[in-house]
């Protein structure tokens, strides 16, 4: 994000660290919703005529609360946190990369203008999409492994590394770690819409305000994320289908494209199923984005204060070093003058 008026700008890695910290805290708090929305999105309603189950999990969930109840009954409370380690690693790396590159490309764009000014909405969305695309290329393997962990049946739970090996040992090989990359690259419009809307809403509702209150940051983050989620939900569902195990009805044959996933869902459940899991998806998205932005605003202020303190300490050290050098020079100067005067006296 752009630096706030009256504050020294944070370096790109400072923005990235603040964003990653906020994202990890926010996602850890609402992680059970992440499990639920993933389980809802990969399941396919089974018809009486279907011979094989259409989902990787025998359990069928009818709603968010039904999923939470059944997961707790079948797997215990820890079942709601299955795959959390990989998920938080992915969240941290994705958000660090996103905020880093967003800060870099936004700064480069503004500095390249003859009359520096805030980017327009279209440019803001483009910058966000570019940053998101770069981040996805480097971080999608963790997302693939996490999705597999979240959809593993109770008796087939594996750790992060073992799940990664399972993906690599599939017919796709190492390229399987980048399953859903095309869908993910299309989905960069989600954070682009989110952060573009956040900037526009902030400038419209809180114009000229240096620091937002926690509830203001939360409101802006939640509103912007809800808009982005509704617009991209079919692609989100398709990406989850690509990254999870193929349904038993496909006899182990994985989906190749997100179009193929969408066609499969529409064939078995109808077009409205492309929005399945949208309730926990929006709830999770709103809470995460609201908490993320609220936390990131606080973290940015903390880092600004920390950097100012570090600059002051560095300045004080330089001043002390300069003073010590000057004192030493004053001590040495008389000695040098005395040495120069000795030959003249001896004459």
């Amino acid at each position: 994000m752009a630096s706030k008026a009256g504050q020294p700008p944070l370096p790109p890695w400072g923005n990235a660290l603040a964003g990653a910290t906020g994202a990890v805290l926010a996602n850890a708090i609402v992680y059970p919703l992440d499990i639920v929305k993933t389980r809802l999105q990969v399941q396919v309603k089974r018809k009486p005529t279907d011979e094989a189950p259409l989902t990787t999990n025998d359990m069928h969930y009818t709603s968010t609360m039904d999923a939470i109840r059944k997961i707790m009954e079948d797997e215990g409370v820890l079942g709601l946190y299955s795959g959390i380690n990989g998920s938080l690693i992915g969240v941290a790396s994705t958000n660090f990369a996103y905020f880093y590159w967003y800060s870099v490309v936004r700064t480069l764009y503004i500095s390249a203008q003859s009359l520096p000014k805030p980017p327009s909405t279209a440019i803001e969305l483009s910058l966000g999409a570019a940053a998101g695309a770069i981040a996805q290329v480097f971080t999608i393997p963790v997302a693939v492994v996490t999705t597999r962990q979240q959809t593993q049946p109770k008796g087939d739970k594996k750790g992060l590394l073992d799940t990664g090996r399972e993906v690599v040992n599939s017919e796709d090989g190492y390229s399987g770690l980048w399953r859903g990359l095309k869908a993910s690259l299309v989905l960069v419009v989600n954070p682009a819409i989110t952060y573009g809307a956040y900037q526009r809403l902030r400038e419209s509702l809180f114009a000229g305000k240096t620091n937002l209150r926690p509830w203001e940051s939360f409101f802006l983050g939640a509103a912007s994320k809800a808009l982005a989620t509704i617009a991209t939900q079919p692609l989100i569902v398709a990406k989850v289908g690509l990254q999870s195990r193929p349904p038993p009805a496909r006899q182990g044959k994985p989906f190749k494209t997100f179009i193929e996933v969408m066609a499969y869902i529409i064939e078995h459940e109808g077009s409205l199923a492309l929005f399945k899991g949208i309730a926990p998806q929006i709830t999770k998205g709103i809470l995460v984005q609201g908490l993320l932005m609220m936390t990131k605003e606080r973290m940015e202020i903390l880092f600004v204060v920390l950097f100012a303190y570090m600059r002051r300490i560095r300045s004080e050290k330089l001043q002390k070093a300069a003073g010590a050098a000057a004192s030493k020079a004053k001590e040495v100067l008389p000695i040098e003058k005395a040495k120069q005067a000795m030959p003249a006296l001896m004459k």
Side-chain angles (χ1 to χ4, degrees):
M1 294 299 131
S3 60
K4 315 301 182 292
Q7 292 180 353
L10 283 173
W13 68 267
N15 276 307
L17 190 57
T21 302
V24 168
L25 292 174
N27 278 273
I29 292 171
V30 302
Y31 187 76
L33 283 174
D34 196 38
I35 283 281
V36 169
K37 69 93 181 170
T38 301
R39 296 277 181 96
L40 286 171
Q41 288 168 354
V42 297
Q43 75 175 7
V44 180
K45 291 181 180 178
R46 187 173 181 178
K47 300 176 183 177
T49 54
D50 292 329
E51 297 181 359
L54 301 176
T55 182
T56 56
N57 203 311
D58 293 334
M59 195 72 70
H60 183 80
Y61 312 111
T62 58
S63 66
T64 300
M65 293 308 299
D66 181 62
I68 292 174
R69 180 178 59 81
K70 288 180 177 177
I71 291 173
M72 290 183 66
E73 288 178 354
D74 188 45
E75 305 174 40
V77 176
L78 292 180
L80 294 173
Y81 294 88
S82 179
I84 189 172
N85 293 334
S87 177
L88 294 184
I89 291 172
V91 165
S93 57
T94 300
N95 281 273
F96 185 93
Y98 178 84
F99 282 108
Y100 179 86
W101 289 110
Y102 182 87
S103 179
V104 168
V105 297
R106 196 175 194 275
T107 301
L108 288 175
Y109 173 81
I110 293 175
S111 62
Q113 304 302 302
S114 55
L115 294 173
K117 60 180 180 179
S120 64
T121 301
I123 295 297
E124 199 79 71
L125 293 176
S126 299
L127 296 178
I134 296 171
Q136 283 297 325
V137 171
F138 291 102
T139 60
I140 195 172
V142 181
V144 171
V145 173
T146 300
T147 300
R148 286 290 183 96
Q149 283 188 294
Q150 291 178 337
T151 55
Q152 286 168 346
K154 181 182 177 181
D156 195 21
K157 298 289 185 184
K158 295 184 178 70
L160 186 68
L161 294 179
D162 288 337
T163 304
R165 291 192 192 98
E166 178 185 87
V167 175
V168 172
N169 292 333
S170 67
E171 66 178 66
D172 290 332
Y174 282 97
S175 65
L177 292 172
W178 276 266
R179 284 190 65 81
L181 178 59
K182 291 180 180 178
S184 295
L185 291 178
V186 175
L187 276 170
V188 298
V189 298
N190 187 295
I193 293 172
T194 301
Y195 296 114
Y198 181 91
Q199 290 282 32
R200 296 281 74 82
L201 287 172
R202 176 172 182 164
E203 291 169 8
S204 300
L205 300 177
F206 305 105
K209 197 164 186 179
T210 302
N211 295 315
L212 298 179
R213 296 175 182 175
W215 73 266
E216 293 170 339
S217 298
F218 186 94
F219 170 75
L220 291 178
S224 58
K225 188 61 178 181
L227 292 172
T229 300
I230 292 171
T232 58
Q233 180 67 8
L235 278 175
I236 293 172
V237 172
K239 189 185 82 165
V240 171
L242 273 172
Q243 294 178 342
S244 61
R245 288 180 179 180
R250 288 178 60 84
Q251 300 178 340
K253 182 182 178 182
F255 294 107
K256 295 297 183 182
T257 65
F258 60 87
I259 298 296
E260 187 179 1
V261 178
M262 288 181 177
Y264 183 85
I265 292 172
I266 292 172
E267 178 186 352
H268 291 87
E269 299 180 87
S271 56
L272 287 180
L274 293 175
F275 291 87
K276 61 186 175 180
I278 193 168
Q281 181 83 47
I282 289 182
T283 304
K284 180 222 171 189
I286 286 175
L287 290 174
V288 166
Q289 200 63 33
L291 291 169
L292 188 158
M293 287 305 179
M294 183 173 68
T295 307
K296 183 176 181 291
E297 290 282 343
R298 304 305 105 189
M299 292 301 298
E300 284 184 350
I301 295 171
L302 177 63
F303 282 127
V304 166
V305 173
L306 178 62
F307 289 161
Y309 175 75
M310 291 171 64
R311 291 188 189 103
R312 191 182 74 183
I313 295 297
R314 184 181 179 186
S315 178
E316 289 176 355
K317 286 183 177 180
L318 289 174
Q319 288 177 358
K320 287 181 180 178
S327 298
K328 188 174 182 180
K330 288 178 181 178
E331 293 174 1
V332 172
L333 189 59
I335 297 174
E336 292 295 329
K337 287 183 177 179
K339 286 181 179 179
Q340 292 174 3
M342 286 297 291
L345 292 172
M346 294 178 68
K347 289 180 181 178

